[in-house]
Amino acid sequence: MTSEDRTRCFIAIPLSETVREKVREAITTIRKDFFPGAKWIKTENLHITLKFLGDIMKEDVSCICDRLQLIADKFEPYELEMGTLGAFPRKNRPRVIWFGTRNPPGNHIELVNKVEDEMLDEGFPREKKSGTPHISIARIKHRNPVKWPHEEFFVNLFDIIPVLCVNKIVLFKSTLSPHGAEYSSIAEFNL
C-alpha cells in the first residue's frame, strides 16, 4: 500500500461566497490588534467541519459517498448564525482560534450525530467531544499567553456575517503542502 492509495479527507459544511467574504472582513478586524504570530487560514479554506476522517483508502471513497447521500436525503436545509469567538484548547494559550455559532439548532446536532453514526459503521471512531459548530480562522504554534479581545470588542463583530444557510455537505480532500493545506471537493450532497 502506497501513499497514492490513500487520500486525506474530511466532511464539512461549505460557506457561501458571501459568508466567506464577510468572515474574511471580520478576521481582518481581529488580526489588526490580536493574535500576533498566528497563521490565518486562507479564505477559500473556511468551512465548518462535521467529521475529520484522516487518511482513507481511495477505494473506500464511494462507500463513504453513498452514506453521505443517505444522510443528505434525510435532512432539510437549516440556518446557522455566527456569534462567538473561541479557542482550542483554551483562550489563554490557544492553538486554534475560531468563530462559533449561536445556539446551534437541533437539526444541526442531529446531522452531526447522523454523520458520526454512519462513519462509525464505516470504521471511523466517534469524536470524543462534540463542540460548538465553528469556523477555524487561525492556528498558533507558539505556546505563549495571548491577549484576548474583551467582550465589547467583538460584540458587534458578528453583525456583519450573514446567517449561513446549510444546504449541503461536502466530502473534501486535503492536500498538505509547504504553503499550507489545499482543500478540494470530492463530492457534494444537497440537503
Side-chain angles (χ1 to χ4, degrees):
M1 177 178 8
T2 65
S3 61
E4 288 88 36
D5 297 330
R6 301 181 81 74
T7 189
R8 187 176 175 87
C9 294
F10 63 95
I11 302 162
I13 297 167
L15 306 184
S16 69
E17 288 301 319
T18 303
V19 170
R20 192 177 292 148
E21 182 56 29
K22 293 301 183 180
V23 168
R24 187 195 61 73
E25 287 178 27
I27 290 170
T28 300
T29 300
I30 289 175
R31 69 188 290 182
K32 282 189 264 183
D33 298 311
F34 299 96
F35 313 119
K39 182 173 181 183
W40 299 90
I41 295 175
K42 297 178 208 173
T43 305
E44 62 270 16
N45 282 351
L46 298 172
H47 63 274
I48 296 175
T49 301
L50 293 171
K51 176 89 175 152
F52 179 72
L53 301 176
D55 291 331
I56 63 171
M57 297 297 296
K58 288 184 178 176
E59 63 200 35
D60 293 335
V61 168
S62 74
C63 290
I64 291 168
C65 287
D66 289 346
R67 289 194 181 260
L68 293 176
Q69 186 62 63
L70 289 171
I71 294 167
D73 289 345
K74 293 180 180 177
F75 285 85
E76 297 292 325
Y78 61 91
E79 294 180 341
L80 290 174
E81 181 180 4
M82 295 295 114
T84 61
L85 179 66
F88 296 129
R90 58 193 173 276
K91 289 181 179 178
N92 66 336
R93 292 187 190 266
R95 307 292 284 152
V96 175
I97 307 294
W98 47 262
F99 288 160
T101 61
R102 285 188 184 127
N103 305 317
N107 43 0
H108 179 79
I109 295 161
E110 288 175 31
L111 176 64
V112 171
N113 289 335
K114 189 65 176 164
V115 167
E116 286 289 349
D117 291 346
E118 292 294 330
M119 292 304 108
L120 182 64
D121 288 348
E122 286 296 321
F124 297 97
R126 286 187 186 281
E127 297 292 327
K128 290 183 174 72
K129 299 181 202 175
S130 63
T132 300
H134 65 276
I135 302 167
S136 295
I137 61 169
R139 299 191 189 290
I140 299 177
K141 292 200 183 235
H142 65 76
R143 298 209 179 251
N144 304 327
V146 300
K147 176 182 165 188
W148 194 261
H150 291 289
E151 197 73 30
E152 307 83 52
F153 173 81
F154 57 87
V155 71
N156 296 320
L157 180 67
F158 298 101
D159 291 346
I160 67 167
I161 302 173
V163 170
L164 169 64
C165 178
V166 178
N167 57 12
K168 70 173 120 176
I169 55 177
V170 177
L171 178 63
F172 281 103
K173 174 183 177 181
S174 174
T175 305
L176 302 177
S177 78
H179 306 292
E182 299 292 330
Y183 303 149
S184 56
S185 171
I186 293 174
E188 298 185 1
F189 307 91
N190 293 323
L191 304 185

